[in-house]
Amino acid sequence: MSRKSTVRADSAFSRLTGQQQRAWLAYVRVRLRLTYEMNHELQAASNLSLPDYDVLNALRYAAGGRMRITALAARIGWERSRLSHHARRLQKRGLLECRTAPADRRATEITLTDPGWDEITRASSGHIDLVRQLFFDGLPDELLKPLTLGLESIYENIIEHGTLPAPAGES
């Protein structure tokens, strides 16, 4: 029995228009390949994985290199439990510190260490070069603004209708 490459009438995809299907599948292909390439580049050029980079990079831009774990989880789009486990691994490597928050002893605060700062700074150069090469070099200049506006609009919709709390300062 052969499989047809067209969408069956009983497929959930039939609820999307042809153009929506095309856009969604293009996004999924880009997201999966870009994630692979970024992770591959980071591991080849530094001691970081893409999830490591996401955590350390968010802390790098936080005031004092420090955030509460719940705020950091919302910022990078992770569940708190996933971040807690990952933060413990990064702490064992000396890249960040996890402590009880001074103002609220029930909360955990994560702080970027000096070695963590050095590692994210070193990793960023090659990472940004790869982003420029794979993402921006493949995007015609006249599509940059509409793409940016579209992605910002989608992000706002996700924040409004998604299940993860909005990052601090976004609602």
Side-chain angles (χ1 to χ4, degrees), residues 132-167:
R132 186 180 303 115
Q133 177 191 15
L134 295 182
F135 191 85
F136 291 108
D137 287 356
L139 183 67
D141 291 340
E142 65 273 10
L143 294 181
L144 180 57
K145 185 174 181 178
L147 176 65
T148 302
L149 293 171
L151 291 172
E152 289 170 349
S153 179
I154 292 167
Y155 181 78
E156 289 171 15
N157 190 56
I158 293 169
I159 294 299
E160 182 178 342
H161 299 287
T163 57
L164 190 66

Side-chain angles (χ1 to χ4, degrees), residues 14 17 32-33 40 49 58 85 87-88 90 104 107 111 125 136 167:
S14 67
T17 67
L32 292 171
R33 291 301 294 247
H40 179 77
S49 66
H85 292 296
R88 281 194 288 278
L90 290 172
D104 181 355
T111 306
S125 180
F136 291 108

Side-chain angles (χ1 to χ4, degrees), residues 91-112:
Q91 183 172 3
K92 286 179 185 173
R93 292 167 51 196
L95 301 176
L96 55 79
E97 291 179 353
C98 301
R99 294 187 222 177
T100 302
D104 181 355
R105 311 268 319 143
R106 297 169 296 170
T108 301
E109 194 172 78
I110 300 177
T111 306
L112 189 61

